[in-house]
Amino acid sequence: MAQVPMQTIHRDPQLFYWILFPITIVMILTGMLRHYATVLMASDPKKLDQKAMREQRALLHGMNLRANYHVLSKPSFTARRDALITAFESGAYLKDPDSRGQPPPNPMSDPNAMEGMMGMMKNQMAMIIPNTLIMSWINAFFSGYVIMKLPFPLTIKFKSMLQAGVATRDMDPRWMSSISWYFLCIFGLQSVFNFLLGSENAANQMAQQMNQIGPQAGQMFGPGVDPNKQFLAEAENLAVIEHHSVLDGVEQRLLEGIKM
Amino acid sequence: MPSEQELQISPIVQESVMHNSRTLYNLQSLTASLFGVSAGILGLESYSGFLFYLVFSLLTAVLVYVLRVAPTSLAGGKPPLDTSRYFRSPFEFWTGGLMNGLAGYILTWTLFYGLVRA
């Protein structure tokens, strides 16, 4: 089988100094800037008044009891459960017990809710603005250059993506233009940021989007959720627990453990 | 998989498992970038490059097992090649590096291949 002769393109080595390195350095520095911007813009958690705090903590108390009931002995568990269920069902821990049964207020009108949304918007902005800027910067200055060759072959389908702005029909799709180096940087620089900024950095937008999909603890007490309904549901959850303790049969297990 | 009662008797501390996974992830992404550098300098292309990555990331996992996991895990009565003492799933330990580091590997591989060869 005849080998297809390898294409060689003679490029000015100055391309590396004036295109490749600037793009890479700018990408790394933007990542670091984004990290520190996120750190600086992070708003402190808002102070709650005593009643609201009591409402949240009481709910958490119920949840913790439900998750850790096995470390309690039976009488102490039943005592706690009975106390919590009575309190939950009578609404003793509610922030304003008069508003039971009324529909929750519109979340848009609550100033606290607006603040949370503003925080989310700020994070989104910190991601979108640098990306748009860098994309247009690369498009304006560096479009139309072929700078590198990928070390692995690709099908012809990738040509339009990798060689955007280079209108040469017969060129091997392995040659890539500056914009595709930018995309490689977006995906591959996470390890560099891990190394530079520690593993909990906010430099990479991909990782951030992953985090946003994950569950958020703050959502539980979010606006528009009726606390009375949460309390009732929690009381029901507590009521159905079938109690058993880790100390059940512990003598048996101990004797098995020290058997010769 | 241990039953619910066994888990309650000897609980797994969530924070420690997360710390282990994160340490492993950092190691994997850093070594993947370094493998990319060496593959680029060696001038590997297409299949040999990916094979290089496969072999070396598996080798990293084996080394981590032999040097860090095995001494206490074997002493704790676990069978060989069992990582459940420190990690949630064996799949994550043995092959997680392939996915975590691939993007970083391709980046540095391309960069150094371009710098050295082309």
Side-chain angles (χ1 to χ4, degrees):
Chain A
M1 202 172 83
Q3 282 280 331
V4 182
M6 216 166 50
Q7 287 180 354
T8 46
I9 298 180
H10 290 285
R11 286 153 298 148
D12 196 339
Q14 294 288 316
L15 283 178
F16 283 140
Y17 303 122
W18 293 102
I19 296 181
L20 189 67
F21 290 136
I23 292 179
T24 317
I25 291 170
V26 164
M27 290 293 292
I28 293 178
L29 289 182
T30 331
M32 295 177 72
L33 183 71
R34 185 182 294 134
H35 171 69
Y36 287 113
T38 322
V39 169
L40 286 179
M41 283 200 309
S43 49
D44 296 335
K46 258 182 74 82
K47 258 208 170 128
L48 293 165
D49 60 338
Q50 190 198 350
K51 288 277 179 60
M53 185 60 99
R54 189 182 63 172
E55 187 181 86
Q56 289 189 4
R57 294 296 135 169
L59 196 57
L60 280 181
H61 184 186
M63 286 176 165
N64 282 336
L65 179 66
R66 180 156 53 93
N68 298 315
Y69 66 93
H70 50 85
V71 297
L72 293 171
S73 64
K74 180 128 194 164
S76 95
F77 172 72
T78 12
R80 274 151 224 250
R81 172 165 76 179
D82 293 344
L84 277 181
I85 287 180
T86 0
F88 283 175
E89 283 178 346
S90 68
Y93 292 132
L94 282 178
K95 188 163 56 179
D96 38 354
D98 308 328
S99 69
R100 282 179 76 184
Q102 286 168 9
N106 186 4
M108 277 312 193
S109 64
D110 192 359
N112 295 346
M114 288 307 283
E115 201 126 313
M117 271 179 233
M118 279 301 286
M120 231 181 278
M121 283 287 284
K122 270 195 283 187
N123 274 340
Q124 290 285 336
M125 280 311 186
M127 268 182 266
I128 293 169
I129 289 178
N131 276 349
T132 335
L133 280 182
I134 294 178
M135 272 279 280
S136 50
W137 172 68
I138 289 177
N139 261 333
F141 282 82
F142 304 131
S143 72
Y145 290 103
V146 166
I147 53 171
M148 277 225 272
K149 193 179 171 189
L150 280 174
F152 44 90
L154 288 171
T155 52
I156 202 83
K157 290 260 165 87
F158 287 94
K159 202 169 150 61
S160 60
M161 191 178 80
L162 286 177
Q163 294 174 2
V166 186
T168 314
R169 231 184 53 224
D170 291 331
M171 198 158 55
D172 195 326
R174 286 172 66 179
W175 295 98
M176 52 188 255
S177 63
S178 44
I179 197 80
S180 45
W181 175 248
Y182 164 75
F183 281 119
L184 261 185
C185 278
I186 287 188
F187 290 111
L189 276 182
Q190 178 63 41
S191 53
V192 179
F193 293 136
N194 269 347
F195 184 60
L196 288 177
L197 301 171
S199 58
E200 278 164 33
N201 65 68
N204 197 305
Q205 59 272 39
M206 305 306 281
Q208 284 224 324
Q209 278 160 9
M210 291 294 178
N211 285 342
Q212 280 177 357
I213 295 168
Q216 288 185 334
Q219 210 63 39
M220 216 166 54
F221 307 111
V225 186
D226 187 3
N228 189 35
K229 275 190 191 135
Q230 283 182 306
F231 276 134
L232 290 182
E234 192 58 42
E236 206 163 300
N237 284 337
L238 280 174
V240 297
I241 286 178
E242 198 175 325
H243 181 263
H244 63 87
S245 162
V246 274
L247 292 180
D248 289 345
V250 67
E251 306 91 341
Q252 194 65 37
R253 290 205 303 272
L254 179 69
L255 286 179
E256 275 168 16
I258 60 175
K259 212 180 278 175
M260 287 303 181
Chain B
M1 212 49 206
S3 74
E4 193 186 358
Q5 179 136 26
E6 284 170 41
L7 266 182
Q8 287 171 352
I9 290 168
S10 48
I12 293 176
V13 183
Q14 203 64 37
E15 284 82 15
S16 307
V17 174
M18 271 171 67
H19 175 259
N20 285 348
S21 314
R22 184 169 301 139
T23 316
L24 190 70
Y25 174 76
N26 280 349
L27 177 77
Q28 280 162 350
S29 52
L30 188 62
T31 48
S33 302
L34 295 180
F35 295 152
V37 173
S38 40
I41 292 174
L42 288 173
L44 300 176
E45 286 190 25
S46 62
Y47 282 128
S48 52
F50 286 111
L51 208 65
F52 179 87
Y53 177 61
L54 185 76
V55 167
F56 273 86
S57 54
L58 288 181
L59 182 70
T60 321
V62 169
L63 279 179
V64 170
Y65 177 76
V66 168
L67 295 179
R68 305 295 301 179
V69 180
T72 46
S73 167
L74 288 181
K78 304 264 183 195
L81 299 188
D82 183 271
T83 55
S84 59
R85 191 178 161 88
Y86 295 107
F87 293 99
R88 179 55 52 80
S89 69
F91 185 75
E92 175 202 340
F93 181 80
W94 293 108
T95 60
L98 292 179
M99 286 320 293
N100 290 339
L102 190 62
Y105 175 74
I106 288 182
L107 179 85
T108 48
W109 184 21
T110 314
L111 178 64
F112 278 82
Y113 182 81
L115 289 180
V116 174
R117 292 283 153 146

